[in-house]
Amino acid sequence: MSTADHLPEGNTPDARPGAPGSTPAVTLSSTLVLTRALKLAGILTIALIIVGGVIGYFADSWTGVLSAVIGAAMAFVFLGITAASILIANRSYSSPLYTVMFFAIVLGSWLLKFVIFIVVALLLRDQPFIDKYLLFGFLIVGVILTLVIDVVVVARTRLPYVSDATLPH
């Protein structure tokens, strides 16, 4: 089995953009994994919103529903920011500054996510339409479930030990 068998269709072993004889579009293996994780996390978030809505209604009427929905949605948004930043950073793969750009984009998104979380937490802290315990509980459950999805998707993904590598001829 050659290294070309592990590359996405249409790419050659020396398919780094800009290399002689390479194809212009390269799909990195992490793109497929992240896309699958985002889809599953979206489905799980919808299920968590439905379950959280029911539990929230019985725990604290419509205040509980709103709190559970916001908590579950926040978990998905924060997962989505990280995954989207990696997908965006992967678009710069052809650049000689790919590594620098990748880490700048991903670390910048983590900083943005931290700031957004602090701002949202401060804004929702003393609101009368929020049950803090339900919001926090469903935020934690959502984060744990998205982490489980990440582990399952990565564990089930069949990739070679070294992917997206250019081998000498």
Side-chain angles (χ1 to χ4, degrees):
M1 181 179 282
S2 72
T3 56
D5 295 334
H6 297 292
L7 294 171
E9 189 173 315
N11 294 328
T12 60
D14 60 341
R16 185 166 185 111
S22 67
T23 59
V26 173
T27 302
L28 299 176
S29 56
S30 62
T31 301
L32 302 172
V33 173
L34 288 169
T35 304
R36 186 177 304 131
L38 275 174
K39 287 177 186 176
L40 289 175
I43 292 168
L44 185 76
T45 300
I46 291 170
L48 185 61
I49 285 173
I50 293 168
V51 170
V54 171
I55 292 171
Y57 183 77
F58 287 115
D60 195 8
S61 185
W62 291 107
T63 300
V65 172
L66 184 60
S67 301
V69 168
I70 291 173
M74 282 175 63
F76 179 74
V77 167
F78 293 131
L79 164 86
I81 289 173
T82 302
S85 71
I86 295 170
L87 290 171
I88 290 167
N90 279 347
R91 291 182 179 195
S92 66
Y93 183 69
S94 62
S95 171
L97 296 174
Y98 169 67
T99 305
V100 173
M101 291 173 64
F102 180 88
F103 284 109
I105 292 169
V106 172
L107 291 175
S109 76
W110 287 349
L111 181 62
L112 175 68
K113 184 169 42 172
F114 179 71
V115 169
I116 290 172
F117 178 79
I118 296 298
V119 168
V120 169
L122 289 175
L123 288 174
L124 294 176
R125 179 178 54 184
D126 294 324
Q127 297 301 323
F129 57 88
I130 295 295
D131 182 323
K132 291 186 271 192
Y133 300 108
L134 284 171
L135 182 123
F136 181 72
F138 279 96
L139 175 62
I140 296 300
V141 168
V143 167
I144 290 170
L145 289 177
T146 56
L147 289 173
V148 168
I149 285 175
D150 289 347
V151 169
V152 168
V153 167
V154 169
R156 290 187 176 176
T157 300
R158 295 179 51 105
L159 291 174
Y161 288 111
V162 177
S163 63
D164 307 326
T166 303
L167 300 174
H169 295 287

